[in-house]
PDB file of all heavy atoms in Angstrom:
ATOM      1  N   LEU A   1       5.325 -33.795 -13.517  1.00 95.00           N
ATOM      2  CA  LEU A   1       5.599 -32.363 -13.519  1.00 95.00           C
ATOM      3  C   LEU A   1       6.332 -31.955 -14.799  1.00 95.00           C
ATOM      4  O   LEU A   1       7.432 -32.437 -15.071  1.00 95.00           O
ATOM      5  CB  LEU A   1       6.455 -32.002 -12.302  1.00 95.00           C
ATOM      6  CG  LEU A   1       6.894 -30.539 -12.171  1.00 95.00           C
ATOM      7  CD1 LEU A   1       5.696 -29.629 -11.972  1.00 95.00           C
ATOM      8  CD2 LEU A   1       7.895 -30.384 -11.033  1.00 95.00           C
ATOM      9  N   PRO A   2       5.753 -31.075 -15.626  1.00 96.00           N
ATOM     10  CA  PRO A   2       6.432 -30.650 -16.855  1.00 96.00           C
ATOM     11  C   PRO A   2       7.719 -29.892 -16.544  1.00 96.00           C
ATOM     12  O   PRO A   2       7.720 -28.943 -15.756  1.00 96.00           O
ATOM     13  CB  PRO A   2       5.404 -29.724 -17.522  1.00 96.00           C
ATOM     14  CG  PRO A   2       4.077 -30.127 -16.949  1.00 96.00           C
ATOM     15  CD  PRO A   2       4.383 -30.517 -15.537  1.00 96.00           C
ATOM     16  N   ILE A   3       8.817 -30.331 -17.156  1.00 96.00           N
ATOM     17  CA  ILE A   3      10.111 -29.663 -17.001  1.00 96.00           C
ATOM     18  C   ILE A   3      10.589 -29.250 -18.389  1.00 96.00           C
ATOM     19  O   ILE A   3      10.770 -30.098 -19.270  1.00 96.00           O
ATOM     20  CB  ILE A   3      11.156 -30.581 -16.336  1.00 96.00           C
ATOM     21  CG1 ILE A   3      10.647 -31.083 -14.970  1.00 96.00           C
ATOM     22  CG2 ILE A   3      12.476 -29.843 -16.170  1.00 96.00           C
ATOM     23  CD1 ILE A   3      11.578 -32.071 -14.297  1.00 96.00           C
ATOM     24  N   ILE A   4      10.778 -27.947 -18.579  1.00 95.00           N
ATOM     25  CA  ILE A   4      11.166 -27.409 -19.878  1.00 95.00           C
ATOM     26  C   ILE A   4      12.620 -26.948 -19.807  1.00 95.00           C
ATOM     27  O   ILE A   4      12.979 -26.113 -18.972  1.00 95.00           O
ATOM     28  CB  ILE A   4      10.279 -26.212 -20.280  1.00 95.00           C
ATOM     29  CG1 ILE A   4       8.795 -26.527 -20.053  1.00 95.00           C
ATOM     30  CG2 ILE A   4      10.545 -25.814 -21.732  1.00 95.00           C
ATOM     31  CD1 ILE A   4       8.288 -27.724 -20.816  1.00 95.00           C
ATOM     32  N   ALA A   5      13.448 -27.484 -20.669  1.00 93.00           N
ATOM     33  CA  ALA A   5      14.866 -27.121 -20.688  1.00 93.00           C
ATOM     34  C   ALA A   5      15.063 -25.736 -21.294  1.00 93.00           C
ATOM     35  O   ALA A   5      14.395 -25.364 -22.269  1.00 93.00           O
ATOM     36  CB  ALA A   5      15.655 -28.153 -21.489  1.00 93.00           C
ATOM     37  N   LEU A   6      15.957 -24.964 -20.698  1.00 89.00           N
ATOM     38  CA  LEU A   6      16.368 -23.677 -21.252  1.00 89.00           C
ATOM     39  C   LEU A   6      17.773 -23.864 -21.814  1.00 89.00           C
ATOM     40  O   LEU A   6      18.707 -24.153 -21.071  1.00 89.00           O
ATOM     41  CB  LEU A   6      16.384 -22.602 -20.156  1.00 89.00           C
ATOM     42  CG  LEU A   6      15.070 -22.368 -19.401  1.00 89.00           C
ATOM     43  CD1 LEU A   6      15.284 -21.367 -18.276  1.00 89.00           C
ATOM     44  CD2 LEU A   6      13.988 -21.877 -20.343  1.00 89.00           C
ATOM     45  N   THR A   7      17.930 -23.707 -23.123  1.00 85.00           N
ATOM     46  CA  THR A   7      19.231 -23.979 -23.726  1.00 85.00           C
ATOM     47  C   THR A   7      19.575 -22.974 -24.808  1.00 85.00           C
ATOM     48  O   THR A   7      18.707 -22.545 -25.568  1.00 85.00           O
ATOM     49  CB  THR A   7      19.280 -25.401 -24.316  1.00 85.00           C
ATOM     50  OG1 THR A   7      20.508 -25.587 -25.020  1.00 85.00           O
ATOM     51  CG2 THR A   7      18.126 -25.646 -25.274  1.00 85.00           C
ATOM     52  N   ALA A   8      20.841 -22.591 -24.850  1.00 79.00           N
ATOM     53  CA  ALA A   8      21.327 -21.709 -25.904  1.00 79.00           C
ATOM     54  C   ALA A   8      21.929 -22.521 -27.051  1.00 79.00           C
ATOM     55  O   ALA A   8      22.394 -21.966 -28.031  1.00 79.00           O
ATOM     56  CB  ALA A   8      22.382 -20.754 -25.346  1.00 79.00           C
ATOM     57  N   SER A   9      21.899 -23.839 -26.919  1.00 73.00           N
ATOM     58  CA  SER A   9      22.502 -24.716 -27.927  1.00 73.00           C
ATOM     59  C   SER A   9      21.443 -25.268 -28.873  1.00 73.00           C
ATOM     60  O   SER A   9      20.360 -25.655 -28.449  1.00 73.00           O
ATOM     61  CB  SER A   9      23.230 -25.883 -27.247  1.00 73.00           C
ATOM     62  OG  SER A   9      23.699 -26.805 -28.215  1.00 73.00           O
ATOM     63  N   ALA A  10      21.796 -25.297 -30.157  1.00 62.00           N
ATOM     64  CA  ALA A  10      20.896 -25.879 -31.151  1.00 62.00           C
ATOM     65  C   ALA A  10      21.311 -27.315 -31.485  1.00 62.00           C
ATOM     66  O   ALA A  10      20.730 -27.945 -32.367  1.00 62.00           O
ATOM     67  CB  ALA A  10      20.907 -25.032 -32.429  1.00 62.00           C
ATOM     68  N   MET A  11      22.306 -27.834 -30.784  1.00 71.00           N
ATOM     69  CA  MET A  11      22.817 -29.171 -31.064  1.00 71.00           C
ATOM     70  C   MET A  11      21.803 -30.231 -30.657  1.00 71.00           C
ATOM     71  O   MET A  11      21.227 -30.181 -29.562  1.00 71.00           O
ATOM     72  CB  MET A  11      24.128 -29.394 -30.317  1.00 71.00           C
ATOM     73  CG  MET A  11      25.202 -28.370 -30.637  1.00 71.00           C
ATOM     74  SD  MET A  11      25.819 -28.479 -32.332  1.00 71.00           S
ATOM     75  CE  MET A  11      26.813 -29.960 -32.226  1.00 71.00           C
ATOM     76  N   LEU A  12      21.588 -31.199 -31.523  1.00 73.00           N
ATOM     77  CA  LEU A  12      20.607 -32.245 -31.242  1.00 73.00           C
ATOM     78  C   LEU A  12      20.999 -33.095 -30.044  1.00 73.00           C
ATOM     79  O   LEU A  12      20.127 -33.557 -29.302  1.00 73.00           O
ATOM     80  CB  LEU A  12      20.425 -33.137 -32.479  1.00 73.00           C
ATOM     81  CG  LEU A  12      19.621 -32.536 -33.640  1.00 73.00           C
ATOM     82  CD1 LEU A  12      19.618 -33.491 -34.826  1.00 73.00           C
ATOM     83  CD2 LEU A  12      18.198 -32.229 -33.212  1.00 73.00           C
ATOM     84  N   ASP A  13      22.303 -33.311 -29.840  1.00 78.00           N
ATOM     85  CA  ASP A  13      22.710 -34.150 -28.719  1.00 78.00           C
ATOM     86  C   ASP A  13      22.351 -33.506 -27.384  1.00 78.00           C
ATOM     87  O   ASP A  13      22.060 -34.201 -26.406  1.00 78.00           O
ATOM     88  CB  ASP A  13      24.214 -34.462 -28.780  1.00 78.00           C
ATOM     89  CG  ASP A  13      25.075 -33.207 -28.742  1.00 78.00           C
ATOM     90  OD1 ASP A  13      24.570 -32.137 -29.130  1.00 78.00           O
ATOM     91  OD2 ASP A  13      26.236 -33.302 -28.337  1.00 78.00           O
ATOM     92  N   VAL A  14      22.345 -32.171 -27.338  1.00 82.00           N
ATOM     93  CA  VAL A  14      21.930 -31.468 -26.120  1.00 82.00           C
ATOM     94  C   VAL A  14      20.449 -31.693 -25.868  1.00 82.00           C
ATOM     95  O   VAL A  14      20.020 -31.950 -24.741  1.00 82.00           O
ATOM     96  CB  VAL A  14      22.235 -29.959 -26.228  1.00 82.00           C
ATOM     97  CG1 VAL A  14      21.635 -29.191 -25.041  1.00 82.00           C
ATOM     98  CG2 VAL A  14      23.738 -29.731 -26.303  1.00 82.00           C
ATOM     99  N   GLN A  15      19.647 -31.602 -26.925  1.00 82.00           N
ATOM    100  CA  GLN A  15      18.213 -31.816 -26.798  1.00 82.00           C
ATOM    101  C   GLN A  15      17.915 -33.254 -26.374  1.00 82.00           C
ATOM    102  O   GLN A  15      17.078 -33.487 -25.493  1.00 82.00           O
ATOM    103  CB  GLN A  15      17.522 -31.491 -28.116  1.00 82.00           C
ATOM    104  CG  GLN A  15      17.676 -30.040 -28.538  1.00 82.00           C
ATOM    105  CD  GLN A  15      17.163 -29.771 -29.942  1.00 82.00           C
ATOM    106  OE1 GLN A  15      16.368 -30.538 -30.472  1.00 82.00           O
ATOM    107  NE2 GLN A  15      17.616 -28.684 -30.546  1.00 82.00           N
ATOM    108  N   TYR A  16      18.596 -34.216 -26.979  1.00 86.00           N
ATOM    109  CA  TYR A  16      18.384 -35.626 -26.633  1.00 86.00           C
ATOM    110  C   TYR A  16      18.779 -35.886 -25.180  1.00 86.00           C
ATOM    111  O   TYR A  16      18.095 -36.629 -24.466  1.00 86.00           O
ATOM    112  CB  TYR A  16      19.198 -36.534 -27.555  1.00 86.00           C
ATOM    113  CG  TYR A  16      18.724 -36.538 -28.996  1.00 86.00           C
ATOM    114  CD1 TYR A  16      19.618 -36.744 -30.047  1.00 86.00           C
ATOM    115  CD2 TYR A  16      17.384 -36.341 -29.306  1.00 86.00           C
ATOM    116  CE1 TYR A  16      19.184 -36.742 -31.365  1.00 86.00           C
ATOM    117  CE2 TYR A  16      16.943 -36.325 -30.625  1.00 86.00           C
ATOM    118  CZ  TYR A  16      17.850 -36.533 -31.646  1.00 86.00           C
ATOM    119  OH  TYR A  16      17.427 -36.536 -32.944  1.00 86.00           O
ATOM    120  N   LYS A  17      19.873 -35.268 -24.741  1.00 89.00           N
ATOM    121  CA  LYS A  17      20.325 -35.457 -23.366  1.00 89.00           C
ATOM    122  C   LYS A  17      19.298 -34.884 -22.390  1.00 89.00           C
ATOM    123  O   LYS A  17      19.054 -35.452 -21.319  1.00 89.00           O
ATOM    124  CB  LYS A  17      21.682 -34.784 -23.165  1.00 89.00           C
ATOM    125  CG  LYS A  17      22.303 -35.051 -21.796  1.00 89.00           C
ATOM    126  CD  LYS A  17      23.691 -34.418 -21.685  1.00 89.00           C
ATOM    127  CE  LYS A  17      24.283 -34.645 -20.292  1.00 89.00           C
ATOM    128  NZ  LYS A  17      25.629 -34.016 -20.164  1.00 89.00           N
ATOM    129  N   ALA A  18      18.684 -33.757 -22.768  1.00 90.00           N
ATOM    130  CA  ALA A  18      17.649 -33.151 -21.925  1.00 90.00           C
ATOM    131  C   ALA A  18      16.457 -34.088 -21.796  1.00 90.00           C
ATOM    132  O   ALA A  18      15.916 -34.291 -20.699  1.00 90.00           O
ATOM    133  CB  ALA A  18      17.218 -31.807 -22.505  1.00 90.00           C
ATOM    134  N   PHE A  19      16.040 -34.678 -22.903  1.00 91.00           N
ATOM    135  CA  PHE A  19      14.913 -35.622 -22.869  1.00 91.00           C
ATOM    136  C   PHE A  19      15.269 -36.867 -22.052  1.00 91.00           C
ATOM    137  O   PHE A  19      14.442 -37.380 -21.294  1.00 91.00           O
ATOM    138  CB  PHE A  19      14.500 -36.019 -24.284  1.00 91.00           C
ATOM    139  CG  PHE A  19      13.915 -34.881 -25.087  1.00 91.00           C
ATOM    140  CD1 PHE A  19      14.193 -34.752 -26.438  1.00 91.00           C
ATOM    141  CD2 PHE A  19      13.096 -33.934 -24.478  1.00 91.00           C
ATOM    142  CE1 PHE A  19      13.657 -33.702 -27.174  1.00 91.00           C
ATOM    143  CE2 PHE A  19      12.557 -32.878 -25.211  1.00 91.00           C
ATOM    144  CZ  PHE A  19      12.844 -32.757 -26.572  1.00 91.00           C
ATOM    145  N   ASP A  20      16.487 -37.349 -22.213  1.00 92.00           N
ATOM    146  CA  ASP A  20      16.918 -38.545 -21.475  1.00 92.00           C
ATOM    147  C   ASP A  20      16.942 -38.306 -19.966  1.00 92.00           C
ATOM    148  O   ASP A  20      16.763 -39.242 -19.180  1.00 92.00           O
ATOM    149  CB  ASP A  20      18.320 -38.984 -21.941  1.00 92.00           C
ATOM    150  CG  ASP A  20      18.308 -39.599 -23.334  1.00 92.00           C
ATOM    151  OD1 ASP A  20      17.215 -40.000 -23.789  1.00 92.00           O
ATOM    152  OD2 ASP A  20      19.369 -39.670 -23.968  1.00 92.00           O
ATOM    153  N   SER A  21      17.163 -37.066 -19.564  1.00 93.00           N
ATOM    154  CA  SER A  21      17.208 -36.750 -18.134  1.00 93.00           C
ATOM    155  C   SER A  21      15.814 -36.572 -17.533  1.00 93.00           C
ATOM    156  O   SER A  21      15.686 -36.390 -16.323  1.00 93.00           O
ATOM    157  CB  SER A  21      18.039 -35.490 -17.891  1.00 93.00           C
ATOM    158  OG  SER A  21      17.384 -34.343 -18.417  1.00 93.00           O
ATOM    159  N   GLY A  22      14.790 -36.625 -18.399  1.00 94.00           N
ATOM    160  CA  GLY A  22      13.424 -36.542 -17.896  1.00 94.00           C
ATOM    161  C   GLY A  22      12.686 -35.270 -18.251  1.00 94.00           C
ATOM    162  O   GLY A  22      11.551 -35.064 -17.813  1.00 94.00           O
ATOM    163  N   MET A  23      13.291 -34.409 -19.052  1.00 94.00           N
ATOM    164  CA  MET A  23      12.616 -33.168 -19.427  1.00 94.00           C
ATOM    165  C   MET A  23      11.603 -33.421 -20.544  1.00 94.00           C
ATOM    166  O   MET A  23      11.769 -34.324 -21.367  1.00 94.00           O
ATOM    167  CB  MET A  23      13.639 -32.112 -19.849  1.00 94.00           C
ATOM    168  CG  MET A  23      14.619 -31.759 -18.744  1.00 94.00           C
ATOM    169  SD  MET A  23      15.659 -30.341 -19.131  1.00 94.00           S
ATOM    170  CE  MET A  23      16.948 -30.512 -17.878  1.00 94.00           C
ATOM    171  N   ASN A  24      10.557 -32.594 -20.579  1.00 94.00           N
ATOM    172  CA  ASN A  24       9.474 -32.783 -21.536  1.00 94.00           C
ATOM    173  C   ASN A  24       9.669 -32.019 -22.837  1.00 94.00           C
ATOM    174  O   ASN A  24       9.176 -32.428 -23.890  1.00 94.00           O
ATOM    175  CB  ASN A  24       8.143 -32.327 -20.924  1.00 94.00           C
ATOM    176  CG  ASN A  24       7.812 -33.050 -19.638  1.00 94.00           C
ATOM    177  OD1 ASN A  24       8.239 -32.638 -18.571  1.00 94.00           O
ATOM    178  ND2 ASN A  24       7.061 -34.129 -19.737  1.00 94.00           N
ATOM    179  N   ASP A  25      10.352 -30.895 -22.764  1.00 92.00           N
ATOM    180  CA  ASP A  25      10.444 -30.007 -23.924  1.00 92.00           C
ATOM    181  C   ASP A  25      11.622 -29.069 -23.701  1.00 92.00           C
ATOM    182  O   ASP A  25      12.294 -29.130 -22.675  1.00 92.00           O
ATOM    183  CB  ASP A  25       9.138 -29.229 -24.079  1.00 92.00           C
ATOM    184  CG  ASP A  25       8.876 -28.776 -25.514  1.00 92.00           C
ATOM    185  OD1 ASP A  25       9.838 -28.698 -26.297  1.00 92.00           O
ATOM    186  OD2 ASP A  25       7.711 -28.494 -25.843  1.00 92.00           O
ATOM    187  N   TYR A  26      11.873 -28.192 -24.654  1.00 90.00           N
ATOM    188  CA  TYR A  26      12.950 -27.223 -24.499  1.00 90.00           C
ATOM    189  C   TYR A  26      12.550 -25.904 -25.151  1.00 90.00           C
ATOM    190  O   TYR A  26      11.674 -25.857 -26.012  1.00 90.00           O
ATOM    191  CB  TYR A  26      14.254 -27.735 -25.108  1.00 90.00           C
ATOM    192  CG  TYR A  26      14.231 -27.833 -26.608  1.00 90.00           C
ATOM    193  CD1 TYR A  26      14.674 -26.775 -27.410  1.00 90.00           C
ATOM    194  CD2 TYR A  26      13.758 -28.976 -27.244  1.00 90.00           C
ATOM    195  CE1 TYR A  26      14.631 -26.864 -28.790  1.00 90.00           C
ATOM    196  CE2 TYR A  26      13.719 -29.070 -28.623  1.00 90.00           C
ATOM    197  CZ  TYR A  26      14.156 -28.019 -29.390  1.00 90.00           C
ATOM    198  OH  TYR A  26      14.115 -28.090 -30.757  1.00 90.00           O
ATOM    199  N   ILE A  27      13.182 -24.841 -24.706  1.00 90.00           N
ATOM    200  CA  ILE A  27      12.995 -23.525 -25.310  1.00 90.00           C
ATOM    201  C   ILE A  27      14.368 -22.902 -25.483  1.00 90.00           C
ATOM    202  O   ILE A  27      15.239 -23.030 -24.616  1.00 90.00           O
ATOM    203  CB  ILE A  27      12.067 -22.644 -24.431  1.00 90.00           C
ATOM    204  CG1 ILE A  27      11.761 -21.318 -25.130  1.00 90.00           C
ATOM    205  CG2 ILE A  27      12.666 -22.393 -23.058  1.00 90.00           C
ATOM    206  CD1 ILE A  27      10.674 -20.525 -24.430  1.00 90.00           C
TER     207      ILE A  27
END
């Protein structure tokens, strides 16, 4: 199931944490 993170942060560690939790992408 595709899970897309919604984030107001541009920090790379936030994006990496989202991917590590199983998310596919972010917006």
Side-chain angles (χ1 to χ4, degrees):
L1 177 65
I3 303 176
I4 313 301
L6 303 175
T7 174
S9 174
M11 303 292 286
L12 285 176
D13 60 335
V14 172
Q15 298 172 20
Y16 292 149
K17 186 177 178 181
F19 293 142
D20 288 342
S21 68
M23 299 189 195
N24 303 86
D25 206 339
Y26 69 93
I27 186 170

